[in-house]
Amino acid sequence: MSEQMLTPRIRPLPDLLISQIAAGEVVERPASVLKELVENSLDAGARQIDVQLSEGGVRMIRIVDDGGGIARDDLPLALARHATSKIASLEDLEHVGSYGFRGEALASIAAVARVTLTSRIAGATNGDHAWRIANDLALTPAALESGTTIEIADLYYNTPARRKFLKSDATEYAHCDEVLRRMALARPDVAFSLTHNDSLKHRLAAADLPRRARQLLGEEFFAQARTLEIEAGDLRLTGYAALPAYSRAGRDEQYFFVNGRFVRDKLLAHAARQAYADILHGSRHPAYVLFLELDPYGVDVNVHPAKTEVRFRESRGVHQFVFHALQRVLAAPPGQAATQVEEPRSSAYAQTPWTAPRQGTLRNFLQSGSEPATAAYLDMARGAFNGSPRPLPEAADEEMPLGQAVAQVHGIFILAQNAAGMVVVDMHAAHERILYEKLKNALEDKPAIQQLLIPAVFTASAVEMAGAEEHAEVLEQLGFELSSAGPQQLTVRSVPALLAQASVVDLVRALLADLKDFPASQVIETRRNELLATMACHGAVRAHRNLSLPEMNALLRAMEATERADQCNHGRPTWAQLSLADLDRLFLRGR
Ligand code: ADP
Ligand code: MG
């Protein structure tokens, strides 16, 4: 073995390789290229942005804008790494008002695709024509009225390993469409058009937000949407949130913008989910378009190269504010838009206490009891239930620890009597758990499949169509047979036998939403349980279904036979024991 192999020398990486590596972070797929380019056009003050794509954007992305343009001598810099016209100092970074500032997007894109950039600066006299530059950095004169036209062709032509990760044209196009929607919602004042393979997909005239949002989200959304305009301290939340009557099987209609920038932020998503928690079924997702504005000092947008993640200085305060604002709007009577949440005690809004999510369906059950409940009664009841399940009782009733069902309450709970006292079961949660374990076991062998007598046909979005094709194999392993019945129609021919009772279309939609964004090769290893949980949730008995006593007892017996039956898949308890002593205490007996 030679000495060189034992002690590798440290060498600087060639520039192109650096850019290709950086490209991995910025240029994930055509949609991420599109995002960077549209942001550049917006930063250049464009009023009209026209996007043409071919083959999902993989073959070509062309953007024509009427922005300020780039001077001839700056064209080579535009393609250079770490060259930007947007910030000059660290201080600038604290209050960037532009979308870009890293100066690496164009360089990264040019490292992995063929780029042609043509531009003419605003106010150029007639003698000053436009100039064009390509990857080789050679400048050539060109014809262009004004603004900038950039063309990106053959994405990843020189990095085949990356190219392999690209999905079908339909999927890549769907992601591009999504990016355009986000930008168009963020900037209703700018006109946009989108063409794919020569067919016009969007033509959006400059408008105000209500009009733009109506165009992009549709009347159905608007019929159920509440308007928000809420301020507290330096925080402001505006936009639209749909009532539960318009909910989705996926998170596809959740738009959050922070200071005009679309973000995918866990904290904000969590605050929203929590605001909907009590009014939306667990398997459904809310729809909203929300704009959070705050002092730029309070938020760091420099966390992620694509800048879709942000970091808040006062994250708890932001969470609180968003949660309360949404919760209030959703609870307000129709026509009464909430406009104000309490001003936090001091300007440090982070000091307001964190609100824990409301938990424990049992507690809700007790609080919504028909008796006029006194505080003392409720306290005792809470103490008695303790909110958490106890270990299954043993000796007393060895065969049937959960006892005999005696009644169903409010279509939600089963009451049963056992030797220790009384048992309350959350029927949906318990059934969900049982199904989940059964589905898991079934998958180990070969799941029994139920052919549908009448196949279910439904109208599917482009993303759903693409997902069904891409994940056909995984879906089949799970027991679903899907085929396309038209350009926008999917047919479901079979479902797992265990789920024969479920609402097929909702179930398949929810699965496709889970599968979105995931490489087909990794789904089964890493997301299997998540998919099974979705299936179980859809297959489980719905609230308000009346069960007969034998059905209730069957559920109790199945719980006893199921591993980990104490908790539903979301970690909530599925049942609670109220002992005779607890009952005595509740009624102050023996005191
Ligand atoms: P950043 O946007 O972070 O500055 P980019 O690599 O995206 O970095 O762009 C580099 C520079 O090229 C920008 O700072 C801007 O000056 C110029 N530029 C890019 N696209 C356009 C455009 N459509 N119109 C005008 N200038 C542009
Ligand atoms: Mg940029």
Side-chain angles (χ1 to χ4, degrees), residues 86-101 259 261 294-302 313:
K86 296 164 196 174
I87 61 165
S89 69
L90 193 59
E91 204 178 302
D92 289 348
L93 195 56
E94 300 254 283
H95 23 81
V96 268
S98 54
Y99 287 104
F101 51 78
N259 289 348
R261 201 185 277 282
L294 71 166
D295 186 337
Y297 177 78
V299 55
D300 183 1
V301 295
N302 197 19
R313 258 173 235 270

Side-chain angles (χ1 to χ4, degrees), residues 531-562:
L531 296 172
L532 293 179
T534 298
M535 288 160 65
C537 183
H538 277 267
V541 280
R542 295 274 150 233
H544 308 304
R545 227 199 75 208
N546 286 328
L547 299 185
S548 64
L549 281 178
E551 283 178 310
M552 291 184 229
N553 279 318
L555 187 65
L556 297 179
R557 302 293 82 79
M559 284 173 74
E560 289 158 0
T562 302

Side-chain angles (χ1 to χ4, degrees), residues 36 40 86 100 105:
E36 295 294 338
N40 281 347
K86 296 164 196 174

Side-chain angles (χ1 to χ4, degrees), residues 484-520:
S484 67
Q488 287 191 350
Q489 287 211 311
L490 281 175
T491 306
V492 188
R493 299 184 183 281
S494 75
V495 298
L498 285 165
L499 302 177
Q501 306 299 319
S503 154
V504 174
V505 173
D506 287 349
L507 170 57
V508 170
R509 282 220 159 105
L511 278 178
L512 290 173
D514 280 357
L515 288 166
K516 196 182 152 211
D517 286 341
F518 229 74

Side-chain angles (χ1 to χ4, degrees), residues 15-16 19-21 23 106-113 115 135 157-159:
D15 253 8
L16 178 66
S19 292
Q20 284 174 338
I21 293 168
L106 290 188
S108 299
I109 295 166
V112 293
V115 176
N135 299 61
Y157 75 99
N158 57 355
T159 40

Side-chain angles (χ1 to χ4, degrees), residues 403-408 414-418 422-423 549 552-553 556:
Q404 288 288 345
V406 290
Q408 190 182 9
I414 294 170
L415 293 190
Q417 173 182 322
N418 65 358
M422 184 176 126
V423 169
L549 281 178
M552 291 184 229
N553 279 318
L556 297 179

